[in-house]
Amino acid sequence: MTTSAVHPPEQRLESAHPAWPDDTGHFGVFGGRFVPEALVAALDDLTAAFEAMRVDPAFVEEFAALQRDYTGRPSPVTEVSRFAEHCGGARVLLKREDLNHTGSHKINNVLGQALLTRRIGKQRVIAETGAGQHGVATATAAALMGLSCTVYMGEEDTRRQALNVARMRLLGAEVIPVTTGSRTLKDAINEAFRDWVTNVETTNYVFGTVAGPHPFPLMVREFQRVIGDEARAQVLEREGRLPDAVLACVGGGSNAIGVFTAFVPDEGVRLVGLEAAGDGVETGRHAATITGGSPGVLHGARSYLLQDDNGQTVESHSISAGLDYPGVGPEHSYLHDIGRAEYRPVTDAEAMEAFALLSRTEGIIPAIESAHALAGAMRLGRELGPDALLLVNLSGRGDKDVETASRWFGLGDRTEVDPGPGMDTDQQPTEGAVTAGDAVPGQDAGSQS
Amino acid sequence: MSALEDRIGAARAEGRAALVAYLPVGHPTVEDSIAAMTAAVEGGADVVEIGVPYSDPGMDGPVIQQAVDVAVRAGVGMRDVLRAVEAVAAAGAVPVVMSYWNPIERYGVERFATDLAAAGGAGAITPDLIPDEAGPWLAASDAAGLDRVFLVAPSSIDARLRATAEACRGFVYAASTMGVTGTRATVGDAAERLVARTRAVTDKPVCVGLGVSDGDQAAEVGRFADGVIVGSAYVRELLEGRGPEGVRALSAQLAEGVRRRSTVSP
Ligand SMILES: Cc1ncc(COP(=O)(O)O)c(C=O)c1O
């Protein structure tokens, strides 16, 4: 199936802005501010500073220069035809956020918020991090702009992503392992908010995704939308048409909103978010917030979340630290409810299969987070069939995941790697998923170390 | 009209501040937490803030986090909270529920209001709900005749102080320091300044929380506030194994503090 005819290759002169959120940060019934009063003044100041800054030509220029000269934007679009042989004959284009300085899309947002921090005259930034990519990006920006930096990271994640802990410390940041609750991203966010409410006069909270109280979902979207703005123009230029679908993994949802936003007005383009299904949504051990959750309030906003009957947040599970979060940004809840985007679950095993496949067929080792989007493309490609054109946001690279992946595939101590039958990807049939058993020996050695 | 305002007014008529004790339901067990609340009342608490356990208590420091974590793991829910409300009312104090917003939203806002009123609760304190987002709760608490308490903070600008106080019924909760719950060596003058600023925009009672732990601090705060709210210090009695006796003794000490006549303004 192809829908190219419905996408006239016109280039919009100005990037379209969604009609949401409203002035108080609501996306329909989602979003808003569910915070202690003590933080309202800081959130108001941040909102005002952001609104002033985004129309200030000096800022716009400084931000653009940083993105170009420091991050390395625009990131390229790469066609991956050997990988696409496993996607039902669909053509697959990757938006290469993995090639950004620091290795993921997180730097896009952080540079914007670091400039904002300087503008409001604060000297210290704090951040939460799951996979460590947002922490590394924040530590990087802090080093660049001479700010002091504290990063909260769940103790469980400091183990899963030890490389990134070392990177943050080398960059001069203080990393505080969080030992409360599930010891993952959710608890790191709680600790960061506690720090912020205590030190708000001197400290800015550089939030890492499109969740949290207003203005974070709006602000982070605006700093991340460069991904989709670039990609839309790049695809139009090389293909003369828009893609049939745009796919991205969804943790809090910043890389997905970043790539979706430019395409929201293009009604013929399917927007597909891939949530981490862990062991499978039906097992209860997952992080598929929209697929398996319900509306409620967490971390300052109303959105879908994983909760029990008492309104307690339920612990999430995913091999991917960056997706291991029981909440999701409010704009995703809204896009889901209005039917503009669809959200699908991808299990650990499916993601790791795609991880191996992209590595072996294209020489690109993806972040495990991004591998969820690749797995979504493998499935959607088979559904849409030949001629479909898929754009996948490759949100990050897999250096940080080498240890987790080695353990998953049982490559641990071997000097000579025998990929086994399932890893000989050129031989894979195009139809039918490679089973977990084929591709992923040792999956029991997955996420929990 | 307002059970909280009446009780705080009665204390004021005695020339003293009211003593407000916070304890979470379900720590160490539901029964033991109810026994502790009863002991707090016997020791002299006028009002008991009955804490609803929540998995992500972003405004709480380590002491309350630790206690609440126990209750969350045990699956303590609103039904247990309502039992505690009945017990506190029977003990003779005014019960007010203190809850982060999601447990109330999950239970159902109208259902919560109806059930709380039926159990004899005065109303609820909602630390992460600002009036801007409180539409359904304002309506439900009006319909059920419940008090509703929102927080003001040192960082609140005057317009927000005014709007927040306007939305409150029962009292205005002055969160005296920027930060999370926990005992502090000194209360500091931020509390007194915040109370003065709040009084400039409202006639409603103003109670001070965050940081008070002993009789001397209670006396100090009681000099300028209508009520003294104590949380972590009570919870610590239970965490350190002193049980209801420890809670009763702490209440007695704090109740003496708020009654030090020499320091009370008429
Ligand atoms: C490479 C990568 N992709 C995706 C995510 C998930 O975040 P979000 O959903 O906000 O893009 C992370 C988070 O750490 C990440 O490191």
Coordinates of all heavy atoms in Angstrom, one line a residue, chain A residues 98 103-106 129-135 161 164 185 208-211 220 224 248-258 320-324 328 332 366-371 393-397 400-401, ligand 1:
Chain A
D98 N 21.3 9.9 16.5 CA 22.4 9.3 17.2 C 23.7 9.9 16.8 O 24.7 9.7 17.6 CB 22.4 7.8 16.8 CG 22.6 7.6 15.3 OD1 22.0 8.3 14.5 OD2 23.4 6.8 14.8
G103 N 25.4 12.0 21.6 CA 24.9 10.7 21.2 C 23.4 10.5 21.2 O 22.9 9.3 21.1
S104 N 22.6 11.5 21.4 CA 21.2 11.4 21.3 C 20.5 12.7 21.1 O 21.2 13.8 21.1 CB 20.6 10.7 22.6 OG 20.5 11.7 23.6
H105 N 19.2 12.6 21.0 CA 18.4 13.9 20.8 C 18.4 14.7 22.0 O 18.0 15.9 21.9 CB 17.0 13.5 20.4 CG 16.2 12.8 21.6 ND1 16.5 11.6 22.1 CD2 15.2 13.3 22.3 CE1 15.7 11.3 23.1 NE2 14.9 12.3 23.3
K106 N 18.8 14.2 23.2 CA 18.6 15.0 24.4 C 19.3 16.3 24.4 O 18.9 17.3 25.0 CB 19.1 14.1 25.6 CG 18.3 12.8 25.8 CD 16.9 13.1 26.4 CE 16.2 11.8 26.7 NZ 14.8 12.0 27.1
T129 N 17.8 11.7 35.3 CA 18.2 10.9 34.1 C 17.9 9.5 34.2 O 17.9 8.9 35.4 CB 19.6 11.2 33.6 OG1 19.8 10.7 32.3 CG2 20.6 10.4 34.6
G130 N 17.5 8.8 33.2 CA 17.2 7.4 33.2 C 18.3 6.6 32.5 O 19.1 6.0 33.2
A131 N 18.4 6.7 31.2 CA 19.5 6.1 30.5 C 20.8 6.8 30.7 O 21.9 6.3 30.4 CB 19.1 6.1 29.0
G132 N 20.7 8.0 31.2 CA 21.9 8.8 31.4 C 22.2 9.7 30.3 O 23.0 10.6 30.4
Q133 N 21.4 9.6 29.2 CA 21.7 10.5 28.0 C 21.3 11.9 28.3 O 22.0 12.9 27.9 CB 20.9 10.0 26.8 CG 21.4 8.7 26.2 CD 22.8 8.8 25.8 OE1 23.7 8.3 26.5 NE2 23.1 9.5 24.7
H134 N 20.2 12.1 29.0 CA 19.8 13.5 29.4 C 20.8 14.0 30.4 O 21.1 15.2 30.4 CB 18.4 13.5 29.9 CG 18.0 14.9 30.4 ND1 18.0 16.0 29.6 CD2 17.6 15.3 31.7 CE1 17.6 17.1 30.3 NE2 17.4 16.7 31.6
G135 N 21.2 13.2 31.3 CA 22.2 13.6 32.3 C 23.5 14.0 31.6 O 24.1 15.0 32.0
Q161 N 23.6 1.7 33.4 CA 24.2 2.7 32.4 C 25.5 3.3 33.0 O 25.7 4.5 33.1 CB 23.2 3.8 32.1 CG 21.8 3.3 31.7 CD 21.7 2.8 30.3 OE1 20.7 2.9 29.6 NE2 22.8 2.2 29.7
N164 N 27.6 6.0 31.3 CA 27.1 7.4 31.3 C 27.3 8.1 32.6 O 27.5 9.3 32.7 CB 25.6 7.4 30.9 CG 25.5 7.5 29.4 OD1 26.4 7.8 28.7 ND2 24.3 7.2 28.9
L185 N 14.0 6.0 37.0 CA 13.7 7.4 36.5 C 12.6 8.1 37.3 O 12.8 9.3 37.7 CB 13.4 7.3 35.1 CG 13.1 8.7 34.4 CD1 14.2 9.6 34.5 CD2 12.8 8.4 32.9
G208 N 14.1 16.6 31.3 CA 14.6 15.9 30.1 C 13.6 15.5 29.1 O 14.0 14.9 28.1
T209 N 12.3 15.6 29.4 CA 11.3 15.1 28.4 C 10.1 16.0 28.4 O 10.0 17.0 29.2 CB 11.0 13.6 28.7 OG1 10.3 13.1 27.6 CG2 10.2 13.5 30.0
V210 N 9.1 15.6 27.6 CA 7.9 16.4 27.4 C 6.8 16.1 28.5 O 5.7 16.2 28.2 CB 7.3 16.3 26.0 CG1 8.2 17.0 25.0 CG2 7.1 14.9 25.6
A211 N 7.3 15.7 29.6 CA 6.3 15.5 30.8 C 6.6 16.6 31.8 O 7.2 17.6 31.5 CB 6.6 14.1 31.4
V220 N 10.0 21.8 26.0 CA 10.8 20.7 25.5 C 10.4 20.4 24.1 O 11.2 20.1 23.2 CB 10.8 19.5 26.5 CG1 11.6 18.4 25.9 CG2 11.3 19.9 27.8
Q224 N 12.8 20.5 20.8 CA 13.0 19.2 20.1 C 12.4 19.2 18.7 O 12.7 18.3 17.9 CB 12.4 18.0 20.9 CG 13.2 17.6 22.2 CD 14.6 17.0 21.9 OE1 15.0 16.9 20.7 NE2 15.2 16.6 23.0
A248 N 8.6 6.6 16.3 CA 9.6 6.9 17.4 C 9.3 6.2 18.7 O 8.1 5.9 18.9 CB 9.6 8.4 17.6
C249 N 10.3 5.9 19.4 CA 10.1 5.3 20.7 C 9.5 6.4 21.7 O 9.8 7.6 21.5 CB 11.3 4.7 21.3 SG 12.7 5.9 21.7
V250 N 8.8 5.9 22.7 CA 8.2 6.9 23.7 C 8.5 6.4 25.1 O 8.1 5.4 25.5 CB 6.6 6.9 23.5 CG1 6.0 7.9 24.5 CG2 6.3 7.4 22.1
G251 N 9.4 7.3 25.7 CA 9.6 7.1 27.2 C 8.7 8.1 27.8 O 7.5 7.9 28.1
G252 N 9.3 9.3 28.1 CA 8.5 10.5 28.4 C 7.9 11.0 27.2 O 6.8 11.7 27.2
G253 N 8.6 10.9 26.1 CA 8.0 11.2 24.8 C 8.7 12.4 24.0 O 8.1 12.9 23.1
S254 N 9.9 12.8 24.4 CA 10.5 14.0 23.8 C 11.0 13.8 22.4 O 10.8 14.6 21.5 CB 11.6 14.6 24.7 OG 12.7 13.8 24.8
N255 N 11.6 12.6 22.1 CA 12.1 12.4 20.7 C 10.9 12.2 19.8 O 10.9 12.6 18.7 CB 13.2 11.3 20.7 CG 12.6 9.9 20.5 OD1 12.4 9.5 19.3 ND2 12.3 9.2 21.5
A256 N 9.9 11.6 20.3 CA 8.7 11.3 19.5 C 8.0 12.6 19.2 O 7.6 12.9 18.0 CB 7.7 10.4 20.2
I257 N 7.7 13.5 20.2 CA 7.1 14.8 19.9 C 8.0 15.6 19.0 O 7.5 16.3 18.1 CB 6.9 15.6 21.3 CG1 5.6 15.0 22.0 CG2 6.7 17.0 21.0 CD1 4.3 15.2 21.3
G258 N 9.3 15.5 19.2 CA 10.2 16.2 18.4 C 10.1 15.9 16.9 O 10.1 16.8 16.1
S320 N 15.2 -1.2 28.6 CA 15.7 0.1 28.3 C 15.5 1.1 29.4 O 14.4 1.5 29.7 CB 15.0 0.6 27.0 OG 15.0 2.0 27.0
A321 N 16.6 1.6 30.0 CA 16.5 2.5 31.1 C 15.8 3.8 30.7 O 15.0 4.4 31.5 CB 17.9 2.9 31.7
G322 N 16.0 4.2 29.5 CA 15.4 5.5 29.0 C 13.9 5.4 28.8 O 13.2 6.4 28.7
L323 N 13.3 4.2 28.7 CA 11.9 4.0 28.5 C 11.2 3.5 29.7 O 10.0 3.3 29.8 CB 11.6 3.1 27.3 CG 12.2 3.5 26.0 CD1 11.8 2.4 24.9 CD2 11.9 4.9 25.5
D324 N 12.0 3.2 30.8 CA 11.5 2.6 32.0 C 10.8 3.6 32.9 O 11.4 4.0 33.9 CB 12.7 1.9 32.7 CG 12.2 0.8 33.6 OD1 11.0 0.7 33.9 OD2 13.1 0.1 34.1
V328 N 4.0 9.4 30.9 CA 4.2 9.8 29.5 C 3.8 11.3 29.4 O 2.9 11.7 30.2 CB 3.4 8.9 28.6 CG1 1.9 9.1 28.7 CG2 3.9 9.2 27.1
H332 N 1.2 13.5 24.3 CA 1.0 12.1 23.7 C -0.4 11.6 24.1 O -1.1 11.0 23.3 CB 2.1 11.2 24.2 CG 3.4 11.4 23.5 ND1 3.5 11.2 22.2 CD2 4.5 11.9 23.9 CE1 4.8 11.5 21.8 NE2 5.4 11.9 22.9
P366 N 22.2 1.0 17.5 CA 21.2 1.9 18.0 C 21.2 1.9 19.6 O 21.5 0.9 20.2 CB 19.9 1.5 17.4 CG 20.0 0.0 17.4 CD 21.5 -0.3 17.1
A367 N 20.7 2.9 20.2 CA 20.3 2.9 21.6 C 19.2 1.8 21.7 O 18.4 1.7 20.8 CB 19.9 4.2 22.1
I368 N 19.1 1.2 22.8 CA 18.0 0.2 23.0 C 16.7 0.9 23.0 O 15.7 0.3 22.5 CB 18.2 -0.6 24.3 CG1 19.5 -1.5 24.2 CG2 17.0 -1.5 24.6 CD1 19.9 -2.2 25.5
E369 N 16.6 2.1 23.4 CA 15.4 2.9 23.3 C 15.0 3.0 21.9 O 13.8 2.6 21.5 CB 15.6 4.3 23.9 CG 15.8 4.4 25.4 CD 17.2 4.1 25.8 OE1 18.1 4.0 25.0 OE2 17.4 3.9 27.1
S370 N 15.9 3.4 21.0 CA 15.6 3.6 19.6 C 15.3 2.3 18.9 O 14.5 2.3 17.9 CB 16.8 4.3 18.9 OG 17.3 5.3 19.7
A371 N 15.8 1.2 19.4 CA 15.6 -0.1 18.9 C 14.1 -0.5 19.0 O 13.6 -1.2 18.1 CB 16.4 -1.2 19.5
N393 N 12.7 7.7 13.8 CA 13.7 8.6 14.5 C 14.6 7.7 15.3 O 14.2 7.0 16.2 CB 12.9 9.5 15.4 CG 13.8 10.6 16.0 OD1 14.7 11.0 15.3 ND2 13.5 11.1 17.2
L394 N 15.9 7.7 14.9 CA 16.9 7.0 15.6 C 17.4 7.9 16.7 O 18.4 8.7 16.5 CB 18.0 6.5 14.7 CG 18.9 5.4 15.2 CD1 18.1 4.1 15.3 CD2 20.2 5.3 14.5
S395 N 16.8 7.8 17.9 CA 17.0 8.9 18.9 C 18.4 8.9 19.5 O 18.8 9.9 20.0 CB 15.9 8.7 20.0 OG 15.9 7.4 20.5
G396 N 19.0 7.7 19.5 CA 20.4 7.7 20.1 C 21.2 6.5 19.7 O 20.7 5.6 19.0
R397 N 22.5 6.6 20.0 CA 23.4 5.5 19.7 C 23.6 4.5 20.8 O 23.3 4.9 22.0 CB 24.7 6.0 19.1 CG 25.4 6.9 20.0 CD 26.8 7.3 19.4 NE 27.5 8.2 20.2 CZ 27.8 9.5 19.8 NH1 27.4 10.0 18.6 NH2 28.5 10.2 20.6
K400 N 26.3 3.3 25.1 CA 25.9 3.1 26.5 C 25.3 1.7 26.8 O 25.3 1.3 27.9 CB 25.0 4.2 26.9 CG 23.6 4.0 26.2 CD 22.6 5.2 26.5 CE 21.3 5.0 25.8 NZ 20.6 3.7 26.1
D401 N 24.9 1.0 25.7 CA 24.1 -0.2 25.9 C 24.9 -1.5 25.6 O 24.4 -2.6 25.6 CB 22.9 -0.2 25.0 CG 21.9 0.9 25.4 OD1 21.7 1.1 26.6 OD2 21.4 1.6 24.5
Ligands
LIG1 C1 18.4 7.5 23.1 C2 17.1 7.7 23.8 N1 15.9 7.6 23.2 C3 14.8 7.8 23.8 C4 14.7 8.1 25.2 C5 13.4 8.3 25.8 O1 13.1 9.6 26.1 P1 12.0 10.4 25.3 O2 10.8 9.5 25.2 O3 11.7 11.6 26.1 O4 12.5 10.7 24.0 C6 15.9 8.3 25.9 C7 15.9 8.6 27.3 O5 16.9 8.5 28.0 C8 17.2 8.1 25.2 O6 18.3 8.1 25.8

